[in-house]
Amino acid sequence: MLRHQLNPVSWADTFLRALIPSFIADAIFSDHRKATRLHPTSYLDGLRGIASVIVFFCHYTEDNYNSLTRSYGVADNDRPETATTGWIQLPFLRIIFSGRPMVHIFFVISGFVLSYKPIKAIHARDYDKCYVTLSSSTFRRAFRLFGPCVASTFMIMCLQQMDLYPGRNPRASWTEQLMVWKRVVFTQITWPWAWDKDMMPGYDIHLWTIPIEFAHSMLLFMVILMLARTKLRIRQMMVLGLMGYCLSCGKWAGFEFLAGLFLAEVHVLKSAREQQNKEWESVAQEEDDDDLDKYGHREVRQGGGLVSLSTLKTVFCISLVILGLFVGGWPNHYADKTPGIRWFLAKTPMPFAKMDHLAPQKFWFGLCAIGTVWAVGELPLLKRFFEGSLAQYCGHISYAIYICHGPVLGLFQAYVFGSPFVPAQGEPGTDDYKVAVEAHGIKGMMGMDNTTQKTMGWFLGLCVLGPIVVWAADIFMRAIDEPIVRIARKMENVCLDREAQPDQRPGGRRLEPGYSQAA
């Protein structure tokens, strides 16, 4: 009904389309839907989308119900009353708000997807396409990563200066605020020279991963370029060697990006092998039939039965996912008191064991992220889930969720959660007297006296703030993120030297001064 009542060219229609989330607009306006199709690595988009939602859950929980981030039943030193026993604190279930391992999944996925097209071109022996892809990705990477962050922090800066951002005081003048913002942008958000150091950016501390992502994207492109013309086995061994070198230096992000490159090549090889098997299926040798199961998998005879290699691989992949879910619940504090986790902590190798208190978990998170990304692609049930509409939508707005969730929490969570009742403290008329705080918000309504009240408040607050984060991310994606991507492509096209394009540089054609035929 609403579809027919609204005039597609009216300003109200345009405003409504811009204001509502895209999935609602798709349901209302038939011409709003974009044709989408799955590609071979779509499951990685879905995995990245779910991971970005978990990062939001993580910061939401740490800001408002930090006691729930402890391991189940673990208390502060010499304070047994601080132990909490909420069901979401149990092993495996606590992954729902464990955002730190999701960052490592982001980096492995980035290494995979940034490598996928160049690696496919290398296997097709199309080196010109590989080099063009690397050149294009390198040119646009800074726009893709930094552009949305510059826009979001600029908006936060304006809200702060207008005294509309809770907990942040405006500067003495707009000029001073702009200078502070400029320093943050140039020395923290777009500062790749610290490699994997947390720069703790002003305005939005959650953007600490962005300069790390950029620096290691450039490292990845350089490695692909270096190894593009090497033999397959040599390339794989060199990538593994570089991964080992990164680990020996304590460089977890470099290890994860290069692992993504390795997994991308494994995926390309697997796809080529599956295609070849389909072509040869009709001419399979009869003498091999006794060694093949009905799915075409070779079988290993053990004792009196048959164990399919495919079954063994499936069990191994499921084990990797289970291990990732358990290790992903590594608590922010008291890992040495947490059953199971303390074993991994004790087995952390050098140099991660002695770098800092977060380094041990980064080592294990990196290993588990690699295993999880690979295993998801090998398990049909999980792969279908991450290719589903919910995961794909989360993947579509994943970068916007990552950027927007911090500002949304900063703007609204204090009003949504309020405070439980706090009685007056001190004697009236004295300097240390504090008036009573009336109960208000979710914490005032649900209470904060026991774990059950905290868990119910956690869930209720998520129902309120979750839709706001998704709504803001959807609008940010359409208004900021996607236009920046289009602008980057247009700028690349404007800047291209057409004489240098492989398909537009015939032999013997005169080149511009300063260029050689070899270039």
Side-chain angles (χ1 to χ4, degrees):
M1 180 70 67
L2 181 59
R3 184 184 306 165
H4 299 291
Q5 290 177 349
L6 292 175
N7 184 348
V9 297
S10 68
W11 67 268
D13 182 18
T14 303
F15 180 75
L16 181 61
R17 292 183 187 223
L19 200 59
I20 62 177
S22 57
F23 64 90
I24 296 179
D26 290 345
I28 297 176
F29 307 103
S30 58
D31 60 329
H32 189 273
R33 302 189 193 101
K34 295 181 180 179
T36 58
R37 63 182 182 86
L38 295 176
H39 50 82
T41 58
S42 287
Y43 67 94
L44 294 177
D45 297 333
L47 177 57
R48 179 171 51 199
I50 298 300
S52 67
V53 172
I54 292 177
V55 169
F56 155 54
F57 287 179
C58 169
H59 295 140
Y60 161 83
T61 307
E62 291 176 348
D63 288 351
N64 300 288
Y65 294 96
N66 191 51
S67 62
L68 295 179
T69 64
R70 296 192 188 98
S71 296
Y72 186 91
V74 174
D76 293 343
N77 293 327
D78 302 323
R79 296 180 61 195
E81 71 277 5
T82 61
T84 50
T85 54
W87 61 268
I88 60 173
Q89 297 173 265
L90 290 168
F92 302 106
L93 296 180
R94 60 183 293 111
I95 195 69
I96 194 173
F97 57 76
S98 298
R100 293 183 180 183
M102 301 304 116
V103 170
H104 300 262
I105 287 180
F106 289 153
F107 286 178
V108 175
I109 291 177
S110 290
F112 191 120
V113 298
L114 292 174
S115 306
Y116 185 65
K117 286 186 179 180
I119 290 296
K120 281 186 66 177
I122 290 171
H123 281 259
R125 299 295 188 267
D126 191 347
Y127 296 107
D128 281 339
K129 182 177 181 180
C130 172
Y131 301 147
V132 169
T133 300
L134 287 175
S135 173
S136 177
S137 297
T138 305
F139 185 95
R140 292 181 288 109
R141 195 61 177 159
F143 294 95
R144 180 70 188 93
L145 290 176
F146 298 143
C149 297
V150 171
S152 69
T153 52
F154 181 81
M155 288 187 282
I156 295 172
M157 180 269 294
C158 292
L159 290 172
Q160 179 176 334
Q161 188 60 23
M162 291 185 291
D163 202 16
L164 297 176
Y165 202 102
R168 298 189 184 182
N169 298 322
R171 300 277 174 174
S173 67
W174 277 93
T175 301
E176 181 183 348
Q177 186 74 265
L178 282 168
M179 290 300 101
V180 173
W181 175 75
K182 180 181 74 68
R183 178 180 56 80
V184 168
V185 168
F186 281 96
T187 64
Q188 295 175 353
I189 295 175
T190 64
W191 185 264
W193 313 111
W195 288 101
D196 54 8
K197 180 182 177 182
D198 184 351
M199 298 301 295
M200 303 183 70
Y203 296 102
D204 189 354
I205 196 172
H206 306 130
L207 302 181
W208 68 274
T209 63
I210 305 305
I212 301 176
E213 175 95 20
F214 179 78
H216 290 85
S217 297
M218 298 301 108
L219 171 67
L220 180 73
F221 296 149
M222 184 180 69
V223 170
I224 297 173
L225 180 64
M226 176 183 71
L227 300 178
R229 296 192 300 155
T230 59
K231 297 177 181 178
L232 172 62
R233 298 309 174 196
I234 297 296
R235 181 166 59 251
Q236 289 183 311
M237 287 189 295
M238 292 187 71
V239 171
L240 289 174
L242 288 171
M243 289 168 59
Y245 174 71
C246 289
L247 281 182
S248 68
C249 298
K251 297 301 179 183
W252 52 275
F255 168 69
E256 291 161 10
F257 266 80
L258 293 175
L261 165 59
F262 187 83
L263 293 180
E265 186 134 45
V266 169
H267 186 277
V268 170
L269 289 170
K270 176 192 172 187
S271 299
R273 187 168 58 250
E274 289 176 346
Q275 181 63 33
Q276 190 178 62
N277 288 341
K278 288 180 181 179
E279 295 174 356
W280 289 357
E281 191 175 19
S282 59
V283 292
Q285 297 291 330
E286 289 187 4
E287 55 266 31
D288 291 337
D289 288 347
D290 292 338
D291 296 327
L292 298 176
D293 64 13
K294 63 180 180 178
Y295 299 107
H297 300 303
R298 193 167 300 280
E299 296 169 337
V300 180
R301 298 180 183 272
Q302 296 183 350
L306 296 173
V307 179
S308 168
L309 286 179
S310 176
T311 301
L312 293 176
K313 181 180 179 182
T314 300
V315 171
F316 179 65
C317 290
I318 292 174
S319 301
L320 287 178
V321 173
I322 293 174
L323 178 64
L325 291 173
F326 179 77
V327 175
W330 193 301
N332 296 346
H333 305 288
Y334 304 118
D336 57 330
K337 294 183 177 181
T338 304
I341 297 298
R342 60 189 173 204
W343 183 89
F344 288 98
L345 180 64
K347 299 299 180 182
T348 304
M350 295 294 290
F352 290 91
K354 299 296 183 181
M355 286 169 54
D356 57 64
H357 73 287
L358 294 178
Q361 62 178 236
K362 289 177 179 177
F363 171 78
W364 293 108
F365 286 165
L367 291 181
C368 290
I370 295 167
T372 299
V373 170
W374 176 71
V376 167
E378 300 295 327
L379 295 172
L381 184 62
L382 280 181
K383 190 175 181 181
R384 284 196 297 271
F385 170 76
F386 288 114
E387 289 176 341
S389 57
L390 174 62
Q392 288 296 300
Y393 174 72
C394 292
H396 194 46
I397 64 172
S398 59
Y399 195 37
I401 288 179
Y402 189 80
I403 292 174
C404 290
H405 79 273
V408 170
L409 289 176
L411 287 169
F412 297 108
Q413 65 185 357
Y415 301 109
V416 171
F417 284 100
S419 172
F421 174 75
V422 179
Q425 300 179 16
E427 293 295 329
T430 61
D431 293 339
D432 60 349
Y433 177 71
K434 295 181 180 179
V435 298
V437 177
E438 295 297 328
H440 62 286
I442 289 177
K443 290 182 178 180
M445 179 176 63
M446 303 302 299
M448 292 284 288
D449 297 327
N450 55 58
T451 304
T452 300
Q453 291 175 333
K454 293 176 182 179
T455 304
M456 293 298 294
W458 178 88
F459 179 76
L460 183 59
L462 204 56
C463 292
V464 175
L465 290 174
I468 299 176
V469 169
V470 172
W471 185 21
D474 193 292
I475 294 175
F476 186 88
M477 173 198 67
R478 288 178 285 133
I480 304 294
D481 194 20
E482 289 182 344
I484 286 176
V485 171
R486 292 193 293 268
I487 290 171
R489 290 189 179 278
K490 291 179 179 179
M491 289 189 64
E492 181 188 16
N493 290 331
V494 170
C495 296
L496 280 179
D497 178 5
R498 298 298 176 182
E499 295 286 343
Q501 301 307 301
D503 56 345
Q504 299 183 31
R505 192 176 59 188
R509 184 170 180 174
R510 183 178 178 82
L511 301 176
E512 293 292 328
Y515 289 81
S516 67
Q517 187 68 47

